[in-house]
Amino acid sequence: TVGMALDGLEQLLLIFDSAEAGGANLRQRLESAIGGIQRQLAGDFTVWLREVMERVKWPVVPGGEDLELLLLTCQSYRLFELICDDQEQDNKKKSKLVEMLCEPMAAQFHFHFSLDKPTNRVDKPEWALDHILSVIHEHLPFFTELDDLIPSSLPHLFISYLVDVVKERFISQRDLIMDNMLLPVVVESVVNFSEQLQADDYQYPHACNDLLSLFLQTQEQIDDWINMEKSRLLDGFEDAFAGLPIGHLQYNNTEPITDFLQSHFTYLRSLSVPQFQSQLLTSVTLPMLERLLQKLEFDIPAFLSRDTDVQQCAQVHTFSCLLRAMWGVEWGEDLAMITL
């Protein structure tokens, strides 16, 4: 019955496309009839899908016959959407099917991260982002299997919907985040979230830019963020730097600064927005490296004045460890000319 209804709708749309010769009156009557059929089918599909979702207890991913029923229902609904989308090009980036499937997930998210709950902490943005990642990990195989049946970018639409859910939450907390100087924490969490999406082959490369654009829209906002980052990162650098006593560098003393620099370079690379990368690099990274270089230059004469080969070999190994930490990250063409 569903197949017959969709075939009939498709035939009507073909007739409508070829009805130029019949004049405006015929096309207007066909358009009115097709619109009424589309609205009726949309209502029927919505009721049918809600009944099936309730039956299989979605958003728990079902198995066996329940999974087959849900896939069949969603496949039919998606086919209906694609037939209608041929007439409405602007709707190709949206899907009522994906919205309905994601609504229970969004409701769970808002319960934990929008209401007055212990999990709703503005200083812990990673909790909300980790929750979204777990939802994606659990449900993406279903959307991938459905997309195999009727290819139409369903995994991308699914992830995009959940990223929008996160954006709404960040928008509602934007003033709190800025007032409490939590922007560096949010940016770092967003970067990690974006990295995870790409590392797990979710094929959604725009999450970082989409989320950061909520906070870093004007140069004033970017300057505020850079100043917060400068304070946070330079404090961490100085703490790690304290483990490098002048004239007494040893391998076990270099680990804090090595780890700190490696973490910072990875973060800088993962930021993925060239404008933000360059400003952070200029304002924070290069001053840190200059400070380290001054210390190493001061220590080099002390190293060269020592007599024992063992001591000199240990210091050379120390330098090599530091340099490997600094340049152990692939920078890309934009940052390839930076030298220490």
Side-chain angles (χ1 to χ4, degrees), residues 202-243:
Y202 291 154
Q203 299 180 349
Y204 193 87
H206 309 299
C208 186
N209 194 30
D210 287 351
L211 294 172
L212 291 185
S213 64
L214 300 175
F215 303 96
L216 305 177
Q217 296 175 337
T218 67
Q219 187 58 48
E220 183 180 1
Q221 292 172 333
I222 295 173
D223 291 342
D224 287 343
W225 166 64
I226 288 292
N227 289 331
M228 295 179 200
E229 286 283 18
K230 186 183 298 184
S231 176
R232 181 177 74 100
L233 290 172
L234 290 182
D235 285 348
F237 177 75
E238 291 299 331
D239 290 342
F241 195 78

Side-chain angles (χ1 to χ4, degrees), residues 170-287:
F170 279 150
I171 289 172
S172 69
Q173 295 185 333
R174 183 160 45 194
D175 290 343
L176 276 174
I177 290 170
M178 300 302 293
D179 291 345
N180 290 279
M181 301 187 70
L182 294 172
L183 187 53
V185 178
V186 172
V187 172
E188 186 173 19
S189 297
V190 166
V191 167
N192 292 336
F193 174 73
S194 179
E195 279 283 285
Q196 192 67 47
L197 283 182
Q198 297 183 61
D200 291 343
D201 296 324
Y202 291 154
Q203 299 180 349
Y204 193 87
H206 309 299
C208 186
N209 194 30
D210 287 351
L211 294 172
L212 291 185
S213 64
L214 300 175
F215 303 96
L216 305 177
Q217 296 175 337
T218 67
Q219 187 58 48
E220 183 180 1
Q221 292 172 333
I222 295 173
D223 291 342
D224 287 343
W225 166 64
I226 288 292
N227 289 331
M228 295 179 200
E229 286 283 18
K230 186 183 298 184
S231 176
R232 181 177 74 100
L233 290 172
L234 290 182
D235 285 348
F237 177 75
E238 291 299 331
D239 290 342
F241 195 78
L244 296 177
I246 293 177
H248 296 86
L249 282 175
Q250 297 294 334
Y251 175 68
N252 61 348
N253 289 329
T254 67
E255 290 181 357
I257 193 70
T258 300
D259 291 345
F260 178 85
L261 290 173
Q262 182 70 65
S263 175
H264 174 66
F265 290 138
T266 301
Y267 170 59
L268 183 62
R269 179 201 63 184
S270 303
L271 203 52
S272 75
V273 183
Q275 178 189 8
F276 303 156
Q277 282 179 322
S278 62
Q279 295 204 32
L280 188 64
L281 180 75
T282 303
S283 301
V284 180
T285 308
L286 293 183

Side-chain angles (χ1 to χ4, degrees), residues 139-182:
H139 293 88
L140 188 63
F142 171 81
F143 285 92
T144 301
E145 185 173 357
L146 180 58
D147 200 62
D148 289 339
L149 296 173
I150 181 165
S152 52
S153 303
L154 286 170
H156 180 86
L157 291 171
F158 163 60
I159 295 175
S160 179
Y161 184 95
L162 293 181
V163 170
D164 284 344
V165 170
V166 175
K167 287 171 69 173
E168 290 176 6
R169 193 251 188 178
F170 279 150
I171 289 172
S172 69
Q173 295 185 333
R174 183 160 45 194
D175 290 343
L176 276 174
I177 290 170
M178 300 302 293
D179 291 345
N180 290 279
M181 301 187 70
L182 294 172

